Amino acid sequence: MPLASFPVPAGFPSPAADDLEDTVDPIKWVVRHEHATFWWRVSGDSLEAEGILDGDLIAVDRAGRRRSGRVVLALIDGEITVKKLAKRGGLWFLDPRARSDAYEPIPVTETTEIWGVVAGVVRRLPIE
C-alpha cells in the first residue's frame, strides 16, 4: 500500500504521486517478531481509554519487553485478560483503562502469567 511522505492530522493526503514516500504493509509494520506474535480479538471495554475497543484485533508479541505502562495479555486463575501493566509501591498490577469505574486493578501474583505485550491494534470501521 502506498504511504504518504508526511503525517496527516485529520485530513486526507493529496493523491499526487510526488506525495508518496514508499509502500507499507500494515501487518508487517505492527508485527516485529513474526514467530512470537499471535492475534486475539478483544471482548469488552476495559481498555477504551487506551484506544483498544470491543471487537478490535490485537497483535500480542511474546518477545516484547514487559514494562510498566505497556498493555499485556495475561492469564489469571485460568482466565485470559488484557490490561495495562503498572507498578505501584513495589507491587505489580494489571490496570483497566476503562472510561467507567466498572473495573478494578488486578494484583499480579506468583501464579499470574504474562503471555505477551500488545504490539498493535487493528480495527475495521464501517464504510458502507
Side-chain angles (χ1 to χ4, degrees):
M1 303 184 125
L3 176 66
S5 62
F6 54 89
V8 60
F12 190 80
S14 167
D18 59 349
D19 287 339
L20 299 181
E21 174 181 282
D22 207 346
T23 60
V24 64
D25 178 335
I27 300 303
K28 285 185 180 178
W29 187 69
V30 168
V31 176
R32 293 150 183 102
H33 305 105
E34 183 177 349
H35 298 293
T37 301
F38 52 101
W39 293 86
W40 289 81
R41 184 173 304 276
V42 174
S43 174
D45 62 358
S46 71
L47 287 173
E48 278 183 331
E50 287 295 314
I52 300 174
L53 308 178
D54 184 54
D56 285 351
L57 295 176
I58 55 173
V60 178
D61 188 336
R62 291 189 54 83
R65 294 187 183 191
R66 292 142 176 90
R67 293 183 179 164
S68 184
R70 296 213 171 142
V71 177
V72 298
L73 187 86
L75 181 68
I76 303 166
D77 299 326
E79 298 289 324
I80 296 171
T81 190
V82 60
K83 300 286 185 278
K84 190 167 189 173
L85 190 59
K87 190 172 187 178
R88 292 188 294 277
L91 300 174
W92 289 94
F93 294 89
L94 297 172
D95 284 343
R97 299 283 293 130
R99 297 191 195 281
S100 71
D101 296 336
Y103 304 95
E104 295 290 325
I106 302 167
V108 174
T109 68
E110 63 277 348
T111 61
T112 303
E113 295 179 42
I114 306 294
W115 281 7
V117 177
V118 175
V121 180
V122 176
R123 177 176 307 127
R124 188 172 182 172
L125 301 174
I127 59 170
E128 288 79 32

